[in-house]
Amino acid sequence: MKVTLVTLLVSLIVAVSHANAAEAAMQLGNHPFEKVQIDYPSGEGCSFQYSPIQFCDERHVDEIKRAIAAMAPNFNHHYILLIMLERKKYYEHSVVAIDSKTGIAYPLPFDSYSGDVDAKGNIHGYGHILYDLNSNRVCISGAIVAYRQIDSGKLCWSFDGAKFVGRHTPYME
């Protein structure tokens, strides 16, 4: 009986929080979360092929919903660029662009970004990401990981409305 009551209470809390997030999103003029869309050949539903990041798992979807509820567009006129912590120990973040008009989230074509990597493969700090409300361009200074490949420097992409183009990663093949 306790398990059933606890389960019912947790379900009620989750339902109320999702309703509150949807209501807050509507107040900002943002469309509620719809889905994650990956328009690259190596995309498989909510993840890139061989990627450890599942953008449709509960944690990522909850972060996307919270961003829609709390944030105004900050990228490419009507998108919310959301930076999500992946592995704190390695200073890694993933990034999605959320269309505030449709609720669709578009991941950048890499697993994560961090600070620069030294000759021994050690990461030292967080990378820097640059983007603007009036531009479709995103640049990362640091290192990215995409399917066991590490690339570093100043790496840039432009968003074409369905995917990011620019600096090539294995996920774009």
Side-chain angles (χ1 to χ4, degrees), residues 58-165:
E58 185 176 349
R59 180 181 72 85
H60 287 92
V61 169
D62 283 348
E63 285 193 48
I64 291 168
K65 287 179 178 179
R66 280 194 300 273
I68 289 170
M71 295 175 69
N74 60 6
F75 169 68
N76 196 21
H77 306 289
H78 63 90
Y79 290 84
I80 298 167
L81 201 73
L82 175 62
I83 301 162
M84 297 179 281
L85 183 63
E86 294 300 335
R87 295 194 311 169
K88 187 175 183 175
K89 178 179 178 180
Y90 298 105
Y91 307 100
E92 294 179 342
H93 289 89
S94 62
V95 184
V96 298
I98 307 162
D99 189 333
S100 67
K101 293 181 179 182
T102 66
I104 298 173
Y106 302 92
L108 271 83
F110 53 80
D111 297 321
S112 59
Y113 79 93
S114 63
D116 290 322
V117 179
D118 66 20
K120 295 181 180 179
N122 298 314
I123 299 168
H124 300 282
Y126 294 104
H128 300 282
I129 186 166
L130 302 169
Y131 56 95
D132 187 270
L133 176 63
N134 296 313
S135 174
N136 70 339
R137 187 170 165 91
V138 176
C139 292
I140 292 177
S141 293
I144 62 165
V145 176
Y147 184 59
R148 300 184 199 170
Q149 179 179 319
I150 298 174
D151 200 3
S152 62
K154 184 174 181 181
L155 315 169
C156 297
W157 298 266
S158 295
F159 188 63
D160 73 3
K163 62 184 174 183
F164 288 87
V165 295

Side-chain angles (χ1 to χ4, degrees), residues 24-41:
M26 294 307 287
Q27 289 175 353
L28 279 174
N30 295 337
H31 190 285
F33 174 70
E34 189 67 33
K35 66 180 179 177
V36 171
Q37 185 169 320
I38 298 177
D39 283 344
Y40 300 96

